[in-house]
Amino acid sequence: MIEPTRPHPQAGMPRRHALGLVAAMPLLGLAATPALAQFRVEVAGVGLTRFPFSAVNFRGNDAASENIAAIVRADLERSGQFIFVPPLAGALDETSRPDLAPWRERGADSLLTGSVTRLADGRFDVRFRLWDVVRTADLGGLSYPVAATDLRLAAHRIADYIYEKITGEKGVFSTRIAYVTKAGNRHNLWVADADGENARAALTSPEPIISPSWAPGGGQLAYVSFESRKPVIYAHEVASGRRRLLANFRGSNSAPAWSPDGKSLVVTLSLSGNAQLYAMDVNGGEPRRLSQSSSIDTEPVFSADGQQIYFVSDRGGSPQIYRMPAQGGGAQRVTFTGNYNISPALSPDGRWLAFISRVSGAFRLHVMELATGTVTALTETGGDESPSFAPNSRMIIYATRDKGAEALMTTTIDGRIKTRLAGAQGDIREPEWGPFLR
């Protein structure tokens, strides 16, 4: 567990859910697998406005297994809002009072310094300080005493600190993602850092696992498992590995989506013969039908305020995205561009709808500004699926096909900065970005 303290100022499945199918804490109890934990970052594109920052290597970092400054740099660059300025020569740590004029001449707006110290109990004390180079101001710092296994988490927390100090918004680098892989007959549900590293298997099964969905607070994942030879929904405690059955009704049970308050879910059930949306209490009980169509309704997601549900339906003849009140009722069509739009994802700030649209046979990630209805294509690839927003609404994670293999990607909301998080083996799909941890 990371306990921040302030350092003393002088101290040293088939891809795409076909409508027919659906008819600072360490992660405890998860098995780390190095083969899938190794990801590489490939950033391409140029953002409109980026903050120039620099970072020196942390004093004492050679004794640690992770390069703290390098992880912070990768996090900030991946956000699309920072550009790295190579550091000047010389040793600096969180106790140094640097001459900031040369850094200003080099073009840096901010400077990160710090140290990594091995403690007597085997942990590491990661300390840092952030400087405003332009105003010659100390922007503060913290100390993170962590186990060796949490060095990356400490770096992500530092990146979050810098991001918030510079942009005024919360950083998402210490959040987590979930995704599914298939290698041969082996299906895995993974939980990883937001940069794709430190992947740990939450569940391994010989049968498909689909539709992971984070509960508010990040303590649980709901998902669909086929281990009973039919789609069944479970809730899984990430820290302990304990799970419980949520839905095993007659027919298909699929596409779980948590309400923003975490007290209920909307799921897709085929109790009536065709796939329809139902509300369920997280503690069990009978499901309550929400949609009333003779078509297939699936892939529900809640709006940020919990007042509406967006979902996919073919009631108009082809799959399109609709919305209706969270308590059920009449549905309104939302997507009108193209004849095949699926996989809705809503930004936590309520401004954006991401979805997958089929364009000339290619499945591409699009985003709609809900206030205006303006739709923008974010990619030029042809096998995109399963978009999910970062909890600060600034980035989207999605799966795609790249160079003949599945891969995870992140993109900024304007599509200008993309990062490839490429797994070492297996098909990678169905990413879900977790919330801010409570």
Side-chain angles (χ1 to χ4, degrees), residues 316-336:
S318 66
Q320 296 290 344
I321 297 171
Y322 294 77
R323 66 171 169 242
M324 68 177 179
Q327 299 304 313
Q332 296 177 313
R333 184 169 165 178
V334 176
T335 51
F336 292 91

Side-chain angles (χ1 to χ4, degrees), residues 38 54 57 72 76 130 184 228 254 285 301 307 328 373 403 410 420 428:
Q38 299 305 313
S54 192
N57 286 332
V72 172
L76 293 175
L130 180 64
S228 300
S254 62
V301 289
Q307 298 301 305
K403 298 175 182 177
T410 63
R420 184 170 187 262
I428 306 172

Side-chain angles (χ1 to χ4, degrees), residues 377-399:
L378 298 185
T379 68
E380 296 181 354
T381 43
D384 302 341
E385 70 165 38
S386 303
S388 177
F389 278 92
N392 67 357
S393 303
R394 287 293 186 173
M395 289 189 287
I396 300 169
I397 192 170
Y398 62 102

Side-chain angles (χ1 to χ4, degrees), residues 209-277:
I209 304 165
I210 62 172
S211 304
S213 175
W214 286 97
Q220 296 185 79
L221 276 166
Y223 57 83
V224 177
S225 170
F226 283 74
E227 61 199 81
S228 300
R229 303 293 179 174
K230 60 173 286 190
V232 173
I233 301 173
Y234 288 92
H236 189 107
E237 290 184 4
V238 177
S240 67
R242 291 191 298 268
R243 66 175 185 164
R244 58 192 176 91
L245 186 63
L246 286 179
N248 185 15
F249 299 101
R250 182 182 71 253
S252 174
N253 307 261
S254 62
W258 296 83
S259 64
D261 62 9
K263 296 180 179 179
S264 63
L265 297 100
V266 172
V267 299
T268 302
L269 305 178
S270 59
L271 285 171
S272 62
N274 61 317
Q276 293 287 283
L277 305 184

Side-chain angles (χ1 to χ4, degrees), residues 18 64 74 89 92 104 125 154 167 198 219 231 242 273 293 343 362 385 400 406 410 422 437:
L92 295 170
R104 189 162 51 248
D125 186 13
T167 70
N198 197 29
R242 291 191 298 268
S293 78
S343 302
E385 70 165 38
T400 191
E406 282 78 14
T410 63
L437 295 177

Side-chain angles (χ1 to χ4, degrees), residues 172-230:
V172 297
F173 311 112
S174 61
T175 60
R176 297 175 292 184
I177 61 173
Y179 60 94
V180 174
T181 64
K182 178 181 181 293
N185 293 324
R186 184 184 179 93
H187 302 262
N188 282 293
L189 172 63
W190 299 93
V191 174
D193 293 352
D195 62 355
E197 297 282 358
N198 197 29
R200 297 165 180 256
L203 178 67
T204 299
S205 174
E207 301 298 333
I209 304 165
I210 62 172
S211 304
S213 175
W214 286 97
Q220 296 185 79
L221 276 166
Y223 57 83
V224 177
S225 170
F226 283 74
E227 61 199 81
S228 300
R229 303 293 179 174
K230 60 173 286 190

